[in-house]
Amino acid sequence: MAAAASAAALVETSSGKDAVAEGLVDLLKPAIQQLDLHVHSVRESQVELREHIDNLATELCRINEHQKVALDLDPYVKKLLNARRRVVLVNNILQNAQERLRRLNHNVAKETARRKTMLEASGVFTTRSPSKP
């Protein structure tokens, strides 16, 4: 009898912790997904910016070659190339962060499914249909 009460208390404590964990997962998952979408959007903007910088640097070099007046555009081209390098660096950082977010989201989903399966198997957690209270 005492063993059954002890086991019930353990399941109750475990299910309480699992409920808290599942609640945290449910709370964090939308934020992680939204952050992932924003990172993806920023990465696309970074790629577009890098392409524009490349085009502008190419155009400046072409203008510099065809100028009759000696106008030194090299410092401006170097500044553009430096800006492009920084854009690529930021893009790499964002890509790494997005990959970590993707792995975190995957691990959260996997852990949630594992815990739900474990609770259903122990009989503690039962799925209720919406028509029954």
Side-chain angles (χ1 to χ4, degrees):
M1 188 90 148
S6 175
L10 180 63
V11 167
E12 195 172 296
T13 302
S14 175
S15 67
K17 287 180 183 178
D18 287 338
V20 170
E22 191 169 324
L24 284 173
V25 166
D26 290 344
L27 180 68
L28 293 176
K29 192 171 184 172
I32 291 172
Q33 289 172 339
Q34 184 180 19
L35 184 58
D36 187 50
L37 287 174
H38 288 301
V39 167
H40 182 71
S41 175
V42 169
R43 284 186 57 212
E44 286 177 352
S45 297
Q46 294 280 320
V47 168
E48 188 176 324
L49 178 59
R50 188 181 68 219
E51 289 171 358
H52 286 299
I53 288 172
D54 288 343
N55 291 338
L56 186 56
T58 302
E59 188 67 21
L60 282 175
C61 287
R62 189 184 64 73
I63 289 170
N64 198 27
E65 289 172 1
H66 292 91
Q67 279 292 336
K68 293 182 181 178
V69 178
L71 181 62
D72 189 20
L73 295 177
D74 285 340
Y76 301 106
V77 172
K78 286 179 183 177
K79 284 182 182 181
L80 279 172
L81 293 177
N82 189 32
R84 181 192 185 281
R85 183 186 58 77
R86 288 189 305 239
V87 166
V88 168
L89 181 65
V90 168
N91 195 31
N92 288 340
I93 292 168
L94 285 171
Q95 186 174 4
N96 290 336
Q98 188 175 30
E99 180 58 27
R100 285 190 298 248
L101 277 172
R102 188 196 61 75
R103 284 194 310 260
L104 177 63
N105 196 19
H106 174 75
N107 289 340
V108 164
K110 191 167 78 172
E111 181 65 16
T112 301
R114 184 189 70 79
R115 286 179 183 227
K116 186 175 180 182
T117 303
M118 192 171 73
L119 287 172
E120 287 173 348
S122 70
V124 173
F125 180 73
T126 56
T127 318
R128 287 191 272 184
S129 67
S131 63
K132 296 181 182 177

